[in-house]
């Protein structure tokens, strides 16, 4: 049996990515029962995806997820740990003692990592079959290099500690090869116990993802939350400069939200007003569908250890990209032989690339970029990744004899 847990995100947050990942897991092991534990509203979002709802070997279990420090996975909280442990312990008790079990955390606080390891250790005392833990690490992997509490007890259970000395019977899972490579520099032991599953595309959105015909105004989009790490300052500067230069022939859009407290005047150069609330997925996709290009002015650092949901959205929706050369983006360009847009070395290169596209409006080149993205999208489908996940899970947890 495979027990899957999402104890951090509720509602629509990360629902498309979780749906796609669960499709990979369920397809990889069709003979295994997969039980998904998450908040009721998150499960409802998963079930709205027809591709997820069609999985015959998946059942869902609504749980009361921790309410302490929502979205702040880096904070060590004893109350959150107790809730995480209770959820995991109850789920393990529901598995027959003679059935091997893989516990998979779709996302994890550091305390959830220790909670899973300890719940498994207790469960083994009354079990006749083996059990193991797999932990998905996403953007929160950056927390291992950031602020740490001065309290020695909290430091003992933060992410840096979990990576420095991974609990036994546990392996990590990251979403790009470059992320594991970066881990070797600061957490070599954890990196040696880390597997890679490329961030999967969600097939439930394929039917609606027809490319936008290349026509004026050229629509350039920043996708996601407007943060410094994602390069929002550079994007807004380009919008001001190129908006003045090209007028109505080019339009810049934020497909996402501004941070609470942001000055609305900063976004005056964009084609429409921006808000600070999370966009409903339907509205997010409506705005994304109108774009011609996705601009990724990512800054060095953060995306060394995090996959990019915006880049995956660009692939899924076949939106060529104009991007700065950070490792995860450069690797994607290499996988597509460079044909998915323009890769730039600096801000001047981004401005030159956008200006050239707006001036030439080369429909033939644009069509070739869309075709290259279609190939990447096909390689990232859950059906295509299922065999890879099955191989890494069997190699990482041979004692489970997963089939």
């Amino acid at each position: 049996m495979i027990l899957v847990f999402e104890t951090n995100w509720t509602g629509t947050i990360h629902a498309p990515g979780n749906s796609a990942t669960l499709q990979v897991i369920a397809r990889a092991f069709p003979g295994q029962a997969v039980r998904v534990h998450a908040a009721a509203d998150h499960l409802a979002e998963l079930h709205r995806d027809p591709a997820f709802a069609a999985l015959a070997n998946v059942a869902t279990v609504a749980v009361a997820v921790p309410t302490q420090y929502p979205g702040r996975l880096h904070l060590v909280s004893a109350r959150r740990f107790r809730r995480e442990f209770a959820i995991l312990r109850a789920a393990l008790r529901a598995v027959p003692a003679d059935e091997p079990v893989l516990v998979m955390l779709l996302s994890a606080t550091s305390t959830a990592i220790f909670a899973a390891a300890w719940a498994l250790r207790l469960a083994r005392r009354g079990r006749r079959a083996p059990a193991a833990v797999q932990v998905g690490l996403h953007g929160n992997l950056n927390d291992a290099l950031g602020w740490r509490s001065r309290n020695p007890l909290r430091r003992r259970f933060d992410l840096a500690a979990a990576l420095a000395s991974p609990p036994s019977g546990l392996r990590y899972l990251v979403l790009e090869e470059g992320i594991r490579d970066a881990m070797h520099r600061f957490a070599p032991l954890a990196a040696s116990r880390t597997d890679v599953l490329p961030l999967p595309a969600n097939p439930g959105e394929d039917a609606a993802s027809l490319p936008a015909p290349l026509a004026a105004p050229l629509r350039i989009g920043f996708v996601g939350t407007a943060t410094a790490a994602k390069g929002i300052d550079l994007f807004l500067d380009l919008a001001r400069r190129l908006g003045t230069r090209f007028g109505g022939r080019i339009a810049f859009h934020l497909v996402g939200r501004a941070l609470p407290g942001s000055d609305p005047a900063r976004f005056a150069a964009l084609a429409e007003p921006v808000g600070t609330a999370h966009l409903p997925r339907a509205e997010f996709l409506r705005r994304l569908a109108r774009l011609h290009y996705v601009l990724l002015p990512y800054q060095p650092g953060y995306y060394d250890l995090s996959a990019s949901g915006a880049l995956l959205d660009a692939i899924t929706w076949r939106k060529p990209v104009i991007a700065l050369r950070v490792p995860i983006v450069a690797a994607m360009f290499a996988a597509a032989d460079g044909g998915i847009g323009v890769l730039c070395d600096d801000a001047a290169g981004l401005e030159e690339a956008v200006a050239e596209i707006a001036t030439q409006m080369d429909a033939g080149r644009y069509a070739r970029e869309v075709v290259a993205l279609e190939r990447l999208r096909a390689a990232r489908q859950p059906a295509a990744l299922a065999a890879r996940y099955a191989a890494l899970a069997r190699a990482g947890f041979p004692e489970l004899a997963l089939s």
Side-chain angles (χ1 to χ4, degrees):
M1 180 174 290
I2 301 176
L3 303 179
V4 185
F5 298 85
E6 176 53 87
T7 57
N8 294 299
W9 306 114
T10 60
T12 63
I13 303 174
H14 292 292
N18 281 348
S19 173
T21 300
L22 288 163
Q23 291 170 51
V24 172
I25 294 170
R27 285 174 173 269
F29 297 108
Q32 292 288 328
V34 180
R35 289 182 187 165
V36 183
H37 304 74
D41 58 354
H42 193 75
L43 294 176
E45 288 299 322
L46 295 178
H47 281 291
R48 288 190 180 97
D49 184 344
F52 173 84
L55 297 170
N57 58 330
V58 173
T60 57
V61 180
V63 295
V65 302
T67 57
Q68 293 78 27
Y69 311 113
R72 302 169 71 184
L73 277 61
H74 64 291
L75 296 180
V76 175
S77 165
R79 290 178 62 195
R80 184 159 59 183
F81 165 80
R82 288 193 293 270
R83 184 69 202 130
E84 292 164 338
F85 181 81
I87 292 170
L88 290 155
R89 186 86 169 111
L92 282 164
R93 283 174 170 165
V95 178
D98 58 353
E99 186 169 354
V101 60
L102 173 62
V103 171
M104 199 283 175
L105 307 184
L106 288 171
S107 67
T109 63
S110 59
T111 51
I113 296 172
F114 290 105
W118 292 351
L120 212 64
R121 190 177 304 168
L122 287 175
R124 284 182 181 135
R125 296 177 183 175
R127 295 185 57 79
R128 297 183 295 276
V133 178
Q134 184 177 57
V135 177
L137 295 175
H138 306 304
N140 65 310
L141 185 54
N142 284 279
D143 296 338
L145 301 180
W147 173 88
R148 300 185 73 188
S149 172
R150 297 175 64 180
N151 183 314
L153 184 59
R154 293 184 186 277
R155 290 171 71 92
R156 170 63 182 83
F157 296 104
D158 66 11
L159 185 57
L163 294 177
S165 182
S168 62
L170 179 148
R171 295 186 68 83
Y172 295 111
L173 186 71
V174 297
L175 300 173
E176 303 293 347
E177 293 284 354
I179 296 174
R180 181 170 60 183
D181 293 343
M183 287 177 65
H184 278 286
R185 297 195 292 270
F186 68 92
L189 181 57
S192 71
R193 291 168 56 179
T194 295
D195 301 306
V196 180
L197 178 73
L199 184 60
N202 191 335
E205 296 179 349
D206 282 359
S209 61
L210 297 175
L214 189 64
L218 179 69
R219 298 188 182 275
I220 307 291
F222 181 103
V223 177
T225 304
T227 65
K230 292 183 178 181
I232 187 59
D233 296 325
L234 177 51
F235 179 79
L236 294 175
D237 184 57
L238 286 174
R240 286 189 293 269
R241 293 164 62 88
L242 292 172
T244 299
R245 178 176 169 184
F246 286 93
R249 288 184 292 159
I250 189 168
F252 288 84
H253 301 262
L254 172 60
V255 183
R257 68 184 185 108
L259 290 174
S262 298
D263 180 3
R266 294 183 62 214
F267 302 90
L270 302 187
E272 63 259 321
V274 303
T276 58
H278 282 283
L279 290 178
R281 188 65 180 176
E283 175 61 16
F284 177 90
L285 295 179
R286 186 189 70 80
R287 297 187 186 189
L288 182 62
R290 295 185 303 167
L291 299 181
H292 295 111
Y293 282 85
V294 169
L295 198 142
L296 303 174
Y298 290 162
Q299 303 302 293
Y302 180 86
Y303 283 99
D304 290 350
L305 295 173
S306 176
S308 168
L311 179 55
L312 186 67
D313 281 330
I315 292 169
T316 301
W317 284 70
R318 290 171 285 178
K319 305 296 180 184
V321 298
I322 306 164
L324 286 179
R325 192 183 301 275
V326 298
I328 60 165
V329 179
M332 204 70 74
F333 270 76
D337 295 324
I340 59 173
V342 186
L343 193 58
C344 307
D345 293 318
D346 51 29
L350 288 177
E351 183 169 349
E352 181 181 348
V354 175
E356 180 182 334
I357 293 168
T359 300
Q360 295 182 357
M361 296 294 281
D362 186 339
R365 171 183 171 177
Y366 188 73
R368 292 190 295 273
E369 291 169 343
V370 169
V371 170
L373 286 163
E374 287 175 345
R375 290 195 294 267
L376 272 184
R377 186 180 66 169
R380 294 261 172 157
Q381 293 296 300
L385 293 174
R388 178 167 177 167
Y389 180 77
L392 69 85
R394 289 185 181 121
F397 308 106
E399 69 278 14
L400 299 182
L402 292 168
S403 61

